[in-house]
Amino acid sequence: MFWPFKKNRTGKVRLGIIGMGNIGKLHADYLLAGRVSRCELTAICTSSPEKQKVYAAHGLKIFSDHETLLKSGVIDAVVICTPHYQHPALGIAAFQAGVHVLMEKPIAAHKADAARLIAAHRRKRKIVFAAMFQMRAEPRFRIMRKLIRDGALGKIVRVNWINTDWFRTEAYYASGGWRATWRGEGGGVLLNQCLHNLDALQWLCGMPRRVRGFCQLGHFHKIEVEDNVTAYLEWANGATGAFISSTGEAPGTNRLEIAGTLGRLVLENNKLTFTRNVTDMIRFSKMAKEGFVKPDARTEEIRYENAERPHAIITQNFVDAILDGEKLIAPGAEGIHSLELANAITFSSLKDGVIELPMSGATWAKKLRQLGRKSKRKR
């Protein structure tokens, strides 16, 4: 058991939320509805008088600065839902205050800051540090991961993810001065929308060895960061892949295809299909006596139930890790992987060349500072 709090004898984790924008409100809604057991939302931190009034009506403690909240003694854990650049400083402050952390994605705006956050957590081992990568809690991705891990797909040879159903309007980007700016957000569709997909990609297939990104900045919107992306990925075993995303394409597509020597998994329109080769394709190629034949295959649909409230599942796992030492579904330190992929794809495009992984976090941080000096971020 990781529980370090002597004042709280309720047997529940007292949870606070820092940042009450769209995602902060989502977390507050399911917590106030009692969707997470052995957990109580006790406090929120926001500078908005209107939001303070709303949540005070629910009987919550209201704070306007994070330091006072973290030192208040009314919370045992915190969900951090602020703009990206604030995540490392807030996480480190929580660790130092002895408060467990569930960090919204991304865990930082760039790899160097993420490494600093992770290093700070290593010095506070009894503190639970989790990341909000709720796609790991969804049955469809858990099934795919098990099939890959069990060898049902054979050796992975190709991965393609067309992920263009992140459509956003100009009104969305105008909703916050920090949005879609180098200084305020640190990136665009890759860092904001696609972190979940990039996390799932590396969780399923491992980290690529090299990437080549092609990013269009402000292609569909009046923004300074990327909103249209095509990336080439290459793994150490020779597998290759493509990752395509956009916030300006409608109706958009979400199709993930993973091909291996023993078959192909396709996830599209909430339908998961597995086409199984009767024989490994490489072995079949070597043994075949004819030139225009291929292995027999059969296609089956894999049924699954959609996860209800996957965010709440990750939060429940976080609470259970605090109280019982349960293994985390999404450890906070693993948040650096999807962040590195997002950073590397963008950096590759800007420098017009391939990025070898692991990439230099310091080099990208320096480039990001240069971009930030020309940023149009509003207060």
Side-chain angles (χ1 to χ4, degrees), residues 112 136 169 240 246:
R136 297 190 184 195
T169 65
T240 59
S246 171

Side-chain angles (χ1 to χ4, degrees), residues 21 134 232:
Q134 72 273 6
Y232 167 78

Side-chain angles (χ1 to χ4, degrees), residues 299-348:
T299 299
E300 61 182 287
E301 181 179 349
I302 300 176
R303 303 284 182 175
Y304 62 89
E305 301 235 348
N306 285 321
E308 287 191 29
R309 303 177 186 87
H311 293 84
I313 294 173
I314 295 293
T315 304
Q316 184 67 69
N317 172 246
F318 174 60
V319 169
D320 294 343
I322 294 170
L323 294 175
D324 307 324
E326 184 171 308
K327 184 178 179 181
L328 289 171
I329 295 171
E334 291 186 10
I336 199 169
H337 302 314
S338 54
L339 181 60
E340 179 171 24
L341 278 174
N343 290 170
I345 292 169
T346 308
F347 195 19
S348 167

